[in-house]
Amino acid sequence: MTTPTLGPAVRVPAPSPAEAVAHFAARLSLYTDVSDVHASMALDEPGFVLVDTRDARAWEQGRVPGAVHLPHARIAEEAPGLVDPALTVVTYCWGPGCDGAARGALAFARLGYRVKEMVGGMEYWVREGLAVETGTGVARGPVDPLIGPVGAPGCAC
């Protein structure tokens, strides 16, 4: 009897269901996605404050409407005067290749805030065709068909 050759996706065995539940529950408590942030911000009381942790040049280039600008290097000093500690904070930066949102989330957590990171950051906000604010107004670009359904609001995950 021959032993089947395992493909690379399952050479390392999947965890037990209990371990998977713990992992994914923890992951969802720490992260939220662009579509969920967008849907929540449309509510009268979204239940969080969205914080853009990028520098001033990036903020001016374009930001999520309704976000608060607080670069991660200034959070420890300025957050207590700008952000209500009773609210959950959701941080974002450029995108998945940038740790600015994680640095910002860590700074808020060290101050005692409940915090999540918006997965995908500004890159995926733009790629989903959501509104972007600049000094000249608010505009939307097209949905990138590789990341979201064209003509639909968000991914409906």
Side-chain angles (χ1 to χ4, degrees), residues 4-157:
T5 303
L6 296 177
V10 292
R11 278 190 195 128
V12 174
S16 71
E19 290 171 311
V21 165
H23 169 81
F24 291 112
R27 187 180 187 287
L28 289 171
S29 74
L30 294 168
Y31 303 100
T32 187
D33 65 26
V34 167
S35 293
D36 288 347
V37 167
H38 178 259
S40 296
M41 290 185 75
L43 302 172
D44 290 337
E45 302 267 341
F48 65 90
V49 59
L50 183 62
V51 176
D52 185 320
T53 64
R54 301 172 304 152
D55 68 15
R57 282 188 352 212
W59 172 263
E60 290 303 320
Q61 186 173 318
R63 58 201 168 265
V64 175
V68 172
H69 184 226
L70 190 52
H72 63 80
R74 298 189 345 232
I75 290 171
E77 179 183 333
E78 297 179 25
L82 291 174
V83 180
D84 182 351
L87 292 175
T88 296
V89 173
V90 175
T91 61
Y92 76 90
C93 197
W94 278 111
C98 176
D99 281 338
R103 286 187 195 101
L106 177 59
F108 274 105
R110 284 180 170 153
L111 293 172
Y113 288 83
R114 292 182 162 283
V115 66
K116 289 187 168 202
E117 181 181 345
M118 184 175 81
V119 175
M122 193 66 192
E123 176 187 351
Y124 278 75
W125 186 272
V126 171
R127 290 179 76 184
E128 286 196 20
L130 301 172
V132 175
E133 182 178 10
T134 67
T136 60
V138 177
R140 286 179 180 262
V143 174
D144 179 339
L146 296 176
I147 65 122
V150 177
C155 67
C157 294

